[in-house]
Amino acid sequence: EYDDGLTFKYFNTKGTKGVNEGVKNLLRFMENSVPENIVDEATKEISEYVDKVKKSPEVEEAFMTMGDKIDQLCEESEQRGIEIGEQRGIEVGERRGIEIGEQRGIEIGKQQMLNMIKEAAQEAGVSEEIEKLVNVRFASSSIVQGGAEMLASGTAVKFK
């Protein structure tokens, strides 16, 4: 205890006994400062003063209720989530695009190899009457990102 003449009183905003109506009104307003809880001159005066302080340029910028802070954090988190999602989508899209491109390249390469087999057969003296290519085999291996080597072999036949 200090010998300074001060007296401390502790109140529970949920309490129901031991205080007058003015104190109850004040505690109710302090717990939830909505217009419905401005019920007497004291709570009206306190509310007006708090509004005035909130609107002052020095305080307005720094004033933020817990709800405002939570809303701000939610908005920032949502925006960050969208950015991460977009980046992951781009990465997945790029990988899928490369896979599709490689597959399409292999298909084009196979068709070109078949044409080359036909040309090689014709150059070797086989007439243009090739009816079937049988036992065609393709082998490929990736040599660099986006590049592959292909090997094709097959037998050209003509039916009599």
Side-chain angles (χ1 to χ4, degrees), residues 11 95 102 104 115:
F11 296 96
R95 282 195 306 270
E102 288 175 348
R104 182 71 182 125
N115 293 338

Side-chain angles (χ1 to χ4, degrees), residues 66-79:
M66 183 59 83
D68 293 336
K69 185 65 176 170
I70 290 170
D71 290 345
Q72 178 188 10
L73 291 173
C74 287
E75 288 174 20
E76 290 171 1
S77 297
E78 180 180 9
Q79 185 59 39

Side-chain angles (χ1 to χ4, degrees), residues 5-77:
L6 295 176
T7 302
F8 291 94
K9 296 198 181 215
Y10 297 92
F11 296 96
N12 179 344
T13 59
K14 300 291 186 189
T16 59
K17 296 180 182 178
V19 293
N20 66 35
E21 196 61 32
V23 173
K24 286 181 184 178
N25 292 341
L26 175 63
L27 293 173
R28 191 175 312 113
F29 178 75
M30 289 175 66
E31 182 178 20
N32 188 9
S33 57
V34 294
E36 298 82 44
N37 287 336
I38 301 172
V39 294
D40 59 15
E41 194 58 38
T43 53
K44 180 180 177 191
E45 189 176 326
I46 291 170
S47 178
E48 289 171 355
Y49 184 75
V50 168
D51 287 342
K52 184 178 177 183
V53 169
K54 284 182 184 178
K55 291 176 184 172
S56 71
E58 303 84 28
V59 175
E60 186 176 20
E61 190 174 317
F63 178 77
M64 184 177 288
T65 66
M66 183 59 83
D68 293 336
K69 185 65 176 170
I70 290 170
D71 290 345
Q72 178 188 10
L73 291 173
C74 287
E75 288 174 20
E76 290 171 1
S77 297

Side-chain angles (χ1 to χ4, degrees), residues 2 4 34 69 98 119 127:
Y2 297 101
D4 57 8
V34 294
K69 185 65 176 170
I98 289 169
E119 289 173 16
S127 71

Side-chain angles (χ1 to χ4, degrees), residues 95-107:
R95 282 195 306 270
R96 185 68 184 127
I98 289 169
E99 291 170 6
I100 291 170
E102 288 175 348
Q103 184 62 37
R104 182 71 182 125
I106 290 170
E107 291 169 9

